[in-house]
Every structure is written in C-alpha cells, then in structure tokens.
Amino acid sequence: MNPDVVVESAETAREMAPAHIPASRLLYWSVRRELWENRSIYLAPLAVAALFLFGFVISTIRQAGRIRAALEPVRLHDQKFLQEPYAFAALLLMATTFLVTLFYCLDALNGERRDRSILFWKSLPVSDLTTVLSKASIPLIIMPLLTFAITVATQCIMMVLSSMIVAGRGLDMGTLWPHPSLFRMSVMLFYHLFFIHGLWFAPFYGWLLLVSGWSRRAAILWATLPLLAIGAVEKLVFNSSHFAAMLTYRFSGGSQDDSFSGGGMSMDPGKMFDPVAFMSSPGLWIGLIATAVFLAAAVRLRRNRQPN
C-alpha cells in the first residue's frame, strides 16, 4: 500500500474522530502506551535490584560479625560501613535507569517510523504534540518517580533482610534500624532524582528525542557526533573549550555552581540543599528553554516525517 495514501487516510480518520476527549485523558493513555510498549523501563531496574539483593544477602551473611561490631558504642566510627550498601544500591539503580532513559529517548520516535507503526498511531485521535509530550514525560517524570520507588523499596528490603540475619546471630534487630537513616537518605534521593535527573538533565533528553525524530538510522551517532564536532571546531578555530565545559557542567549536575547549597551530584544525607535557590538558578531555566525548543522541533518532525 502506498504510504502517502495511508497517511492521508490517517489524517482523515483523525479529523473524523470524536473531539470531546479531554487532552489530559489522551496524554494519560499515551503515557500508559509508552509503558506498555517499553517494558524495559521498569523491568531493567527491577532485575538489577533483585540481583543486588541476592548479592547483599550473601555479603551480609559473610560480614554479620563486622555489622555486629559496628553497632557497638565503642565502634561508632565503623557505622559508615553500614550505610555504604544502601548508597551503592541507590547509585547502581540510578545508573541503570539513566542508561535505560537514554536508550529510550534515542528510540522513542525513531522506532515507530522504523517498524512503520507510526501509520497506525497517526490514525488515532492523538496529536503529535500529545505524543511527543507523553514520550518526554518518561525521562522527565516517570523515570525519576520509578527510580525513587524501586530504590526505597530495595533499601527497605535490605534493612529487613540484614535485621533478620543479624538477629540470627543473637543481636537485637531494633539496634540496626537507626543505621542508616533511611528517611534522610530518601529525602536526598528524591531531591537528586527530581531536580538533577529530571529537570537539570532535561536538555539531554530533549536533544535525544529531537535526534530520534530526525535520524533514519544510527541515532546514537547522530546524537553524539555533532556535539563532538562542535567541540573540535571550537578548539581548532578559537583554541577554547567553552562548549565542552558547558556540557561537562550540565552533565555533572551543576556541581560547579555555587548558587545553591548541596547541589550537583551529591547525595550526602548530611548536606543541606536549597530547592528555591536551585529553581532560581539561570542554568536551570536556560536548559528548560533549550528543552522546549528541542521538543517543539521534535513535534514538527514527527508531523512531517514519513516511515523509514
């Protein structure tokens, strides 16, 4: 069948579709469609969490004596040892979901053209704007919330398992619960995921979605080569590296910015953070404006692109 004919019939079907469906409902079901089509979004971190818990149980059994010693009043300096597995679990799950998010963005718009399912989705009464926004909501909202939920659940299971193992060695389980402070760690984790992984990294996600909507194949190359080329040309022509420094600053979570306390990539529960200062920082809003430009271009590309 001629793709042009199919696209025309899809546009006709969209015009004839009922117009009374609320935009919020269309967006909701579009997000559910993304979760249904991309199960790796939640299966990958769940698999990593399960594997980590298996290793944690073995490690705790082997080091039960050290844990018991760390809880003694005279060994308070060893209590950092109790917090390390929880921090490592959070970092491991964040790294996993971050990689899943990057690959999702690269395939979000490219995949539906490659398998020609775009002809079907365009026949539904869902605008290109709603579709792109639903895809952008995955890295900006869904992934931070999902990572937070899985990480907190994993840490709680770790606490229960370690308590049971230590109790089997004759120690009161209640002495383990205050170490580490899961509540303080959870607060810092939520801040880090929502503000850094969600808002601060938004330009990266917008750029990857734009490349996904433009490239016909090898999206990862088209996403990285222009950035490398810009940095190389700047270095050769001006003997400077401002563009590379800007990317490093953005990717590091703004850790070089002193405008907000406890910012950057740090998740130390002992540090304070100021969300108000972060939300008023120029770097954040410049990045969000760039994200809006990338998403607007992605919407236009999806409207005009034909199947690969």
Side-chain angles (χ1 to χ4, degrees):
M1 182 179 295
N2 190 340
D4 295 334
V5 176
V6 176
V7 171
E8 290 179 2
S9 62
E11 293 176 352
T12 302
R14 184 183 300 177
E15 294 174 357
M16 296 176 59
H20 62 275
I21 303 178
S24 59
R25 186 171 181 82
L26 292 176
L27 180 63
Y28 168 75
W29 282 105
S30 297
V31 172
R32 290 197 61 175
R33 164 210 158 186
E34 295 301 318
L35 296 175
W36 172 64
E37 286 193 324
N38 301 274
R39 293 184 173 87
S40 61
I41 289 175
Y42 52 87
L43 290 181
L46 287 175
V48 171
L51 182 62
F52 179 83
L53 287 174
F54 177 75
F56 175 77
V57 170
I58 297 177
S59 175
T60 303
I61 293 175
R62 294 181 58 187
Q63 303 187 55
R66 185 179 177 186
I67 295 175
R68 179 174 181 174
L71 291 172
E72 296 177 359
V74 297
R75 301 287 298 277
L76 291 178
H77 62 280
D78 284 345
Q79 290 185 358
K80 183 180 178 181
F81 161 73
L82 301 176
Q83 299 182 3
E84 290 177 352
Y86 297 86
F88 182 74
L91 292 174
L92 180 63
L93 287 171
M94 282 194 299
T96 301
T97 53
F98 184 65
L99 289 176
V100 170
T101 300
L102 294 183
F103 283 102
Y104 165 81
C105 291
L106 282 172
D107 192 64
L109 295 172
N110 184 271
E112 63 179 14
R113 295 202 326 274
R114 187 176 58 250
D115 61 17
R116 306 180 73 86
S117 64
I118 190 173
L119 299 177
F120 169 74
W121 297 116
K122 279 182 172 290
S123 67
L124 301 180
V126 181
S127 66
D128 297 294
L129 175 62
T130 300
T131 300
V132 172
L133 288 180
S134 67
K135 294 178 182 297
S137 69
I138 298 298
L140 296 178
I141 301 175
I142 301 300
M143 291 306 294
L145 293 177
L146 182 66
T147 306
F148 176 77
I150 294 177
T151 302
V152 171
T154 301
Q155 291 176 336
C156 290
I157 295 174
M158 291 168 60
M159 178 65 73
V160 173
L161 292 175
S162 60
S163 299
M164 295 173 62
I165 293 173
V166 172
R169 298 297 180 94
L171 186 67
D172 183 13
M173 290 191 302
T175 60
L176 189 63
W177 284 90
H179 312 284
S181 175
L182 290 185
F183 177 76
R184 294 180 64 185
M185 292 182 67
S186 299
V187 171
M188 289 302 300
L189 176 66
F190 182 82
Y191 157 78
H192 186 85
L193 289 171
F194 180 75
F195 288 99
I196 304 300
H197 281 240
L199 298 180
W200 191 258
F201 288 167
F204 290 124
Y205 306 141
W207 166 251
L208 294 179
L209 287 172
L210 173 60
V211 173
S212 178
W214 177 82
S215 63
R216 292 187 176 275
R217 56 184 61 87
I220 189 172
L221 293 179
W222 288 111
T224 55
L225 289 180
L227 304 181
L228 295 176
I230 293 174
V233 169
E234 180 193 359
K235 185 65 177 179
L236 291 174
V237 176
F238 302 103
N239 193 27
S240 62
S241 56
H242 298 299
F243 185 75
M246 182 270 293
L247 291 180
T248 302
Y249 165 74
R250 176 65 58 173
F251 190 76
S252 66
S255 57
Q256 303 169 3
D257 189 0
D258 296 330
S259 63
F260 55 95
S261 174
M265 300 296 289
S266 175
M267 290 195 308
D268 186 354
K271 287 188 175 182
M272 299 297 293
F273 61 89
D274 188 356
V276 176
F278 179 84
M279 293 299 296
S280 60
S281 62
L284 172 66
W285 291 102
I286 292 174
L288 293 180
I289 292 173
T291 304
V293 173
F294 292 150
L295 294 181
V299 172
R300 185 173 182 83
L301 281 172
R302 189 181 188 274
R303 182 178 298 121
N304 299 325
R305 279 289 186 178
Q306 299 297 328
N308 289 349

